[in-house]
Amino acid sequence: FRAVALAPRTKATAAAPARLADALIVLGEAEFKQGHNAAAEAAMAEAVRVYADAVNADLYDLDLRRKSAQANRELGDLLLFLGRL
């Protein structure tokens, strides 16, 4: 799935980056709940990067920008909870 999401966008794969980032956020939450803080942080940071790349590719997609902001918030909340902010 990662290869499709990171490949050049087509009409059929336009939503792939957002879906990958959403999956990474869920993975980060699951890792955190299991006590794997470093893996949780890595997954959420990658979600933020995927969203940032997707937003840069389509600056006018407001839904994508909202999801990107939410991913940044999720990462920030995790870092705050871990005492890294």
Side-chain angles (χ1 to χ4, degrees), residues 9 14 23 33 39 62 67 78 80 84:
R9 292 176 66 172
K33 288 178 182 176
L62 297 180
K67 288 181 177 183
L78 175 68
L80 186 63
R84 296 184 35 117

mmCIF file with all atom_site columns, all heavy atoms in Angstrom, residues 9 14 23 33 39 62 67 78 80 84:
data_model
loop_
_atom_site.group_PDB
_atom_site.id
_atom_site.type_symbol
_atom_site.label_atom_id
_atom_site.label_alt_id
_atom_site.label_comp_id
_atom_site.label_asym_id
_atom_site.label_entity_id
_atom_site.label_seq_id
_atom_site.pdbx_PDB_ins_code
_atom_site.Cartn_x
_atom_site.Cartn_y
_atom_site.Cartn_z
_atom_site.occupancy
_atom_site.B_iso_or_equiv
_atom_site.pdbx_formal_charge
_atom_site.auth_seq_id
_atom_site.auth_comp_id
_atom_site.auth_asym_id
_atom_site.auth_atom_id
_atom_site.pdbx_PDB_model_num
ATOM 1  N N   . ARG A 1 9  ? 0.489   10.547 -8.333  1.00 0.00 ? 9  ARG A N   1
ATOM 2  C CA  . ARG A 1 9  ? -0.960  10.454 -8.185  1.00 0.00 ? 9  ARG A CA  1
ATOM 3  C C   . ARG A 1 9  ? -1.662  10.332 -9.524  1.00 0.00 ? 9  ARG A C   1
ATOM 4  O O   . ARG A 1 9  ? -1.314  11.012 -10.479 1.00 0.00 ? 9  ARG A O   1
ATOM 5  C CB  . ARG A 1 9  ? -1.488  11.680 -7.452  1.00 0.00 ? 9  ARG A CB  1
ATOM 6  C CG  . ARG A 1 9  ? -1.048  11.707 -6.017  1.00 0.00 ? 9  ARG A CG  1
ATOM 7  C CD  . ARG A 1 9  ? -1.473  12.941 -5.322  1.00 0.00 ? 9  ARG A CD  1
ATOM 8  N NE  . ARG A 1 9  ? -2.938  12.977 -5.215  1.00 0.00 ? 9  ARG A NE  1
ATOM 9  C CZ  . ARG A 1 9  ? -3.585  13.877 -4.513  1.00 0.00 ? 9  ARG A CZ  1
ATOM 10 N NH1 . ARG A 1 9  ? -2.930  14.795 -3.876  1.00 0.00 ? 9  ARG A NH1 1
ATOM 11 N NH2 . ARG A 1 9  ? -4.896  13.857 -4.460  1.00 0.00 ? 9  ARG A NH2 1
ATOM 12 N N   . ALA A 1 14 ? -5.710  8.817  -6.032  1.00 0.00 ? 14 ALA A N   1
ATOM 13 C CA  . ALA A 1 14 ? -5.662  10.143 -5.429  1.00 0.00 ? 14 ALA A CA  1
ATOM 14 C C   . ALA A 1 14 ? -5.812  10.104 -3.909  1.00 0.00 ? 14 ALA A C   1
ATOM 15 O O   . ALA A 1 14 ? -5.199  10.895 -3.203  1.00 0.00 ? 14 ALA A O   1
ATOM 16 C CB  . ALA A 1 14 ? -6.731  11.038 -6.047  1.00 0.00 ? 14 ALA A CB  1
ATOM 17 N N   . ALA A 1 23 ? -3.875  5.156  8.282   1.00 0.00 ? 23 ALA A N   1
ATOM 18 C CA  . ALA A 1 23 ? -3.465  3.850  8.805   1.00 0.00 ? 23 ALA A CA  1
ATOM 19 C C   . ALA A 1 23 ? -2.258  3.993  9.729   1.00 0.00 ? 23 ALA A C   1
ATOM 20 O O   . ALA A 1 23 ? -2.171  3.311  10.755  1.00 0.00 ? 23 ALA A O   1
ATOM 21 C CB  . ALA A 1 23 ? -3.154  2.891  7.659   1.00 0.00 ? 23 ALA A CB  1
ATOM 22 N N   . LYS A 1 33 ? -0.578  2.296  22.893  1.00 0.00 ? 33 LYS A N   1
ATOM 23 C CA  . LYS A 1 33 ? -1.365  1.556  23.881  1.00 0.00 ? 33 LYS A CA  1
ATOM 24 C C   . LYS A 1 33 ? -0.653  0.293  24.348  1.00 0.00 ? 33 LYS A C   1
ATOM 25 O O   . LYS A 1 33 ? -0.905  -0.193 25.446  1.00 0.00 ? 33 LYS A O   1
ATOM 26 C CB  . LYS A 1 33 ? -2.740  1.208  23.314  1.00 0.00 ? 33 LYS A CB  1
ATOM 27 C CG  . LYS A 1 33 ? -3.631  2.428  23.207  1.00 0.00 ? 33 LYS A CG  1
ATOM 28 C CD  . LYS A 1 33 ? -4.966  2.095  22.600  1.00 0.00 ? 33 LYS A CD  1
ATOM 29 C CE  . LYS A 1 33 ? -5.797  3.373  22.466  1.00 0.00 ? 33 LYS A CE  1
ATOM 30 N NZ  . LYS A 1 33 ? -7.075  3.126  21.805  1.00 0.00 ? 33 LYS A NZ  1
ATOM 31 N N   . ALA A 1 39 ? 7.996   3.411  18.562  1.00 0.00 ? 39 ALA A N   1
ATOM 32 C CA  . ALA A 1 39 ? 7.297   2.985  17.354  1.00 0.00 ? 39 ALA A CA  1
ATOM 33 C C   . ALA A 1 39 ? 6.067   3.847  17.109  1.00 0.00 ? 39 ALA A C   1
ATOM 34 O O   . ALA A 1 39 ? 5.749   4.177  15.961  1.00 0.00 ? 39 ALA A O   1
ATOM 35 C CB  . ALA A 1 39 ? 6.904   1.517  17.453  1.00 0.00 ? 39 ALA A CB  1
ATOM 36 N N   . LEU A 1 62 ? -9.030  21.112 0.676   1.00 0.00 ? 62 LEU A N   1
ATOM 37 C CA  . LEU A 1 62 ? -9.236  21.535 2.058   1.00 0.00 ? 62 LEU A CA  1
ATOM 38 C C   . LEU A 1 62 ? -9.435  20.369 3.013   1.00 0.00 ? 62 LEU A C   1
ATOM 39 O O   . LEU A 1 62 ? -9.010  20.429 4.172   1.00 0.00 ? 62 LEU A O   1
ATOM 40 C CB  . LEU A 1 62 ? -10.421 22.489 2.143   1.00 0.00 ? 62 LEU A CB  1
ATOM 41 C CG  . LEU A 1 62 ? -10.245 23.799 1.371   1.00 0.00 ? 62 LEU A CG  1
ATOM 42 C CD1 . LEU A 1 62 ? -11.478 24.668 1.524   1.00 0.00 ? 62 LEU A CD1 1
ATOM 43 C CD2 . LEU A 1 62 ? -9.008  24.539 1.828   1.00 0.00 ? 62 LEU A CD2 1
ATOM 44 N N   . LYS A 1 67 ? -7.184  17.061 7.460   1.00 0.00 ? 67 LYS A N   1
ATOM 45 C CA  . LYS A 1 67 ? -6.653  15.791 7.965   1.00 0.00 ? 67 LYS A CA  1
ATOM 46 C C   . LYS A 1 67 ? -5.176  15.924 8.327   1.00 0.00 ? 67 LYS A C   1
ATOM 47 O O   . LYS A 1 67 ? -4.707  15.321 9.290   1.00 0.00 ? 67 LYS A O   1
ATOM 48 C CB  . LYS A 1 67 ? -6.853  14.689 6.929   1.00 0.00 ? 67 LYS A CB  1
ATOM 49 C CG  . LYS A 1 67 ? -8.287  14.263 6.778   1.00 0.00 ? 67 LYS A CG  1
ATOM 50 C CD  . LYS A 1 67 ? -8.404  13.156 5.749   1.00 0.00 ? 67 LYS A CD  1
ATOM 51 C CE  . LYS A 1 67 ? -9.820  12.654 5.625   1.00 0.00 ? 67 LYS A CE  1
ATOM 52 N NZ  . LYS A 1 67 ? -9.907  11.543 4.671   1.00 0.00 ? 67 LYS A NZ  1
ATOM 53 N N   . LEU A 1 78 ? 0.819   13.215 21.365  1.00 0.00 ? 78 LEU A N   1
ATOM 54 C CA  . LEU A 1 78 ? 1.675   12.100 21.788  1.00 0.00 ? 78 LEU A CA  1
ATOM 55 C C   . LEU A 1 78 ? 2.985   12.622 22.378  1.00 0.00 ? 78 LEU A C   1
ATOM 56 O O   . LEU A 1 78 ? 3.400   12.183 23.449  1.00 0.00 ? 78 LEU A O   1
ATOM 57 C CB  . LEU A 1 78 ? 1.959   11.168 20.607  1.00 0.00 ? 78 LEU A CB  1
ATOM 58 C CG  . LEU A 1 78 ? 2.927   10.029 20.897  1.00 0.00 ? 78 LEU A CG  1
ATOM 59 C CD1 . LEU A 1 78 ? 2.308   9.016  21.866  1.00 0.00 ? 78 LEU A CD1 1
ATOM 60 C CD2 . LEU A 1 78 ? 3.359   9.347  19.625  1.00 0.00 ? 78 LEU A CD2 1
ATOM 61 N N   . LEU A 1 80 ? 3.587   15.522 23.648  1.00 0.00 ? 80 LEU A N   1
ATOM 62 C CA  . LEU A 1 80 ? 3.308   16.204 24.918  1.00 0.00 ? 80 LEU A CA  1
ATOM 63 C C   . LEU A 1 80 ? 3.136   15.183 26.039  1.00 0.00 ? 80 LEU A C   1
ATOM 64 O O   . LEU A 1 80 ? 3.673   15.343 27.135  1.00 0.00 ? 80 LEU A O   1
ATOM 65 C CB  . LEU A 1 80 ? 2.059   17.062 24.771  1.00 0.00 ? 80 LEU A CB  1
ATOM 66 C CG  . LEU A 1 80 ? 1.700   17.953 25.947  1.00 0.00 ? 80 LEU A CG  1
ATOM 67 C CD1 . LEU A 1 80 ? 2.810   18.984 26.186  1.00 0.00 ? 80 LEU A CD1 1
ATOM 68 C CD2 . LEU A 1 80 ? 0.377   18.646 25.695  1.00 0.00 ? 80 LEU A CD2 1
ATOM 69 N N   . ARG A 1 84 ? 8.053   15.161 25.558  1.00 0.00 ? 84 ARG A N   1
ATOM 70 C CA  . ARG A 1 84 ? 9.057   15.538 24.569  1.00 0.00 ? 84 ARG A CA  1
ATOM 71 C C   . ARG A 1 84 ? 8.792   16.901 23.972  1.00 0.00 ? 84 ARG A C   1
ATOM 72 O O   . ARG A 1 84 ? 9.484   17.323 23.059  1.00 0.00 ? 84 ARG A O   1
ATOM 73 C CB  . ARG A 1 84 ? 9.149   14.472 23.500  1.00 0.00 ? 84 ARG A CB  1
ATOM 74 C CG  . ARG A 1 84 ? 9.631   13.155 24.080  1.00 0.00 ? 84 ARG A CG  1
ATOM 75 C CD  . ARG A 1 84 ? 9.837   12.088 23.061  1.00 0.00 ? 84 ARG A CD  1
ATOM 76 N NE  . ARG A 1 84 ? 10.325  12.606 21.810  1.00 0.00 ? 84 ARG A NE  1
ATOM 77 C CZ  . ARG A 1 84 ? 11.490  12.307 21.277  1.00 0.00 ? 84 ARG A CZ  1
ATOM 78 N NH1 . ARG A 1 84 ? 12.284  11.476 21.896  1.00 0.00 ? 84 ARG A NH1 1
ATOM 79 N NH2 . ARG A 1 84 ? 11.853  12.797 20.119  1.00 0.00 ? 84 ARG A NH2 1
#
